Amino acid sequence: MTIRSVVRGTGAYLPANAVTNLELAKRVDTSDDWIVARTGITQRHIAADGELTSDLATHAARQALANAGIAVDAVDMVVVATTTPDATFPATATTVQAKLGMDGRGFAFDVQAVCAGFVYALNVADNFIRAGQVKTALVIGAETFTRILDWEDRTTCVLFGDGAGAVVLQAEDGPGGRGILSSHLHSDGRFNKALYTTGGPSATRESGVVRMNGQEVFKHAVVKLADVVEEALKANGLVGADIDWLVPHQANQRIIDGMAKKLGLGPERVVSTVARHANTSAASIPLALAEAAADGRIKQGQIVLLEAIGGGLAWGASVIRW
Ligand code: UT7
């Protein structure tokens, strides 16, 4: 028998405060036209003062458990993909574990792969499940990314937002064929400086703020995402036409459109939330998954392709039979 990690439920949470481009343009030297034309973004959600990454993550996790019909005491493992943890330590996932009322059951830890974080975390959880060490896992992408933005830097501050998404994975041992079929991860630290923060606990004792060479990241994204998607399709004997849903990292509508075109997929087979959510880093894919599962677009048995790239550079793709 082959153990597979089946997605049992999804959840999402966006902070209440949605800030439009027009509102942002009142305090940043930018325009709605520029942001929409270059990225497709029209608004982003911004967490309230005192609202932490663990709060966003806990909301999304509760919704995913309810959606799955699985009680919190069945959860063996909580993985939170985040670049904006509540604190340097403890792991935000342990705070989520406590907020969910797991009462010390199971184990929890964070994964840091920036915008590729959810694909990394999903692969980590899948490996625990396939190895038989875990039966039920909560995989969460959660960010208060706006807290590490430099609001004086218009080349980055207009691009990002806050939010959280979660999936419940459960081991299924049988011939059903559902579940995560494969994941493919890559990184190349030679490109650290394409997208980074100006500080960190070891270097400056502060978290620093985001800096990005947008054009450099864009060029890498187009090539590396195409390569990893090809690798993922090949590993499963699939071609673009076999994909029911492309659920990409939501950084830029132009990159999303480019990938869809390469795969031969029309916009009706692509889940895009970037217009309303902006780039929520590790949260963007699970937010998009939760939205498309909740409104009935993604259906059981369909093939879903995830892909993401971000700081590191780190990138990856996963293929799921939903
Ligand atoms: O999630 C991690 C992965 N990240 C990504 O995938 C991001 C990849 N990169 C991108 O999406 C794009 O490179 C950006 C959206 C970040 C930028 O778009 P671009 O078409 O590469 O613009 P650019 O950086 O070449 O800037 C073009 C112009 C510049 O002016 P000049 O030098 O041509 O006069 C910028 O100063 O646009 C100017 N500009 C702005 N103008 C108004 C830059 N930011 C802004 C702004 N508002 N917010």
Side-chain angles (χ1 to χ4, degrees):
M1 286 295 185
T2 309
I3 297 178
R4 285 241 175 89
S5 309
V6 173
V7 178
R8 294 276 181 232
T10 58
Y13 178 79
L14 290 161
N17 183 24
V19 177
T20 65
N21 293 346
L22 290 171
E23 288 170 280
L24 202 59
K26 288 180 193 157
R27 53 184 175 123
V28 177
D29 178 20
T30 188
S31 67
D32 180 49
D33 285 350
W34 190 94
I35 302 171
V36 171
R38 302 283 173 148
T39 70
I41 295 165
T42 64
Q43 64 166 33
R44 72 285 297 135
H45 290 256
I46 297 186
D49 287 346
E51 195 175 29
L52 306 182
T53 294
S54 63
D55 295 319
L56 275 54
T58 303
H59 283 299
R62 282 207 185 101
Q63 196 184 83
L65 287 168
N67 178 246
I70 289 173
V72 71
D73 58 12
V75 176
D76 305 309
M77 171 190 192
V78 181
V79 191
V80 174
T82 189
T83 300
T84 45
D86 292 4
T88 300
F89 78 87
T92 297
T94 59
T95 307
V96 174
Q97 180 193 23
K99 286 181 175 172
L100 286 173
M102 286 174 65
D103 295 337
R105 190 189 143 84
F107 60 96
F109 61 92
D110 293 354
V111 163
Q112 162 58 303
V114 207
C115 296
F118 183 76
V119 175
Y120 270 65
L122 200 69
N123 194 175
V124 168
D126 182 35
N127 283 337
F128 272 94
I129 287 173
R130 284 177 190 253
Q133 193 175 345
V134 159
K135 187 164 187 297
T136 306
L138 254 173
V139 185
I140 306 167
E143 302 279 13
T144 47
F145 212 85
T146 62
R147 300 254 161 82
I148 56 168
L149 296 176
D150 172 1
W151 293 98
E152 303 293 318
D153 176 11
R154 69 176 184 168
T155 68
T156 52
C157 74
V158 303
L159 304 174
F160 295 91
D162 301 333
V167 302
V168 181
L169 294 180
Q170 205 160 51
E172 193 170 280
D173 188 354
R178 288 180 66 202
I180 298 171
L181 303 184
S182 69
S183 295
H184 308 269
L185 305 183
H186 297 274
S187 66
D188 190 340
R190 290 175 300 174
F191 302 115
N192 272 176
K193 286 294 178 193
L195 177 51
Y196 65 101
T197 58
T198 55
S202 175
T204 62
R205 299 175 181 239
E206 290 169 357
S207 66
V209 290
V210 175
R211 294 280 179 258
M212 175 166 70
N213 181 335
Q215 287 195 7
E216 190 186 351
V217 176
F218 195 102
K219 284 179 200 151
H220 281 296
V222 171
V223 175
K224 291 180 165 52
L225 290 176
D227 286 351
V228 76
V229 159
E230 192 182 316
E231 180 187 339
L233 291 177
K234 206 168 160 195
N236 293 286
L238 299 172
V239 294
D242 297 320
I243 304 302
D244 292 299
W245 291 104
L246 172 64
V247 186
H249 170 49
Q250 309 283 326
N252 187 319
Q253 189 62 44
R254 290 188 287 150
I255 298 174
I256 295 172
D257 291 345
M259 279 309 303
K261 199 170 164 201
K262 255 200 172 84
L263 288 163
L265 302 176
E268 72 287 351
R269 282 160 73 188
V270 181
V271 180
S272 179
T273 56
V274 68
R276 287 169 289 113
H277 300 175
N279 182 345
T280 57
S281 184
S284 91
I285 288 178
L287 272 168
L289 280 175
E291 194 171 287
D295 67 21
R297 274 178 287 172
I298 300 180
K299 295 180 180 64
Q300 198 169 311
Q302 289 186 325
I303 297 286
V304 178
L305 172 65
L306 317 181
E307 43 89 338
I309 185 166
L313 294 174
W315 65 102
S318 295
V319 183
I320 306 171
R321 191 185 303 279
W322 201 258

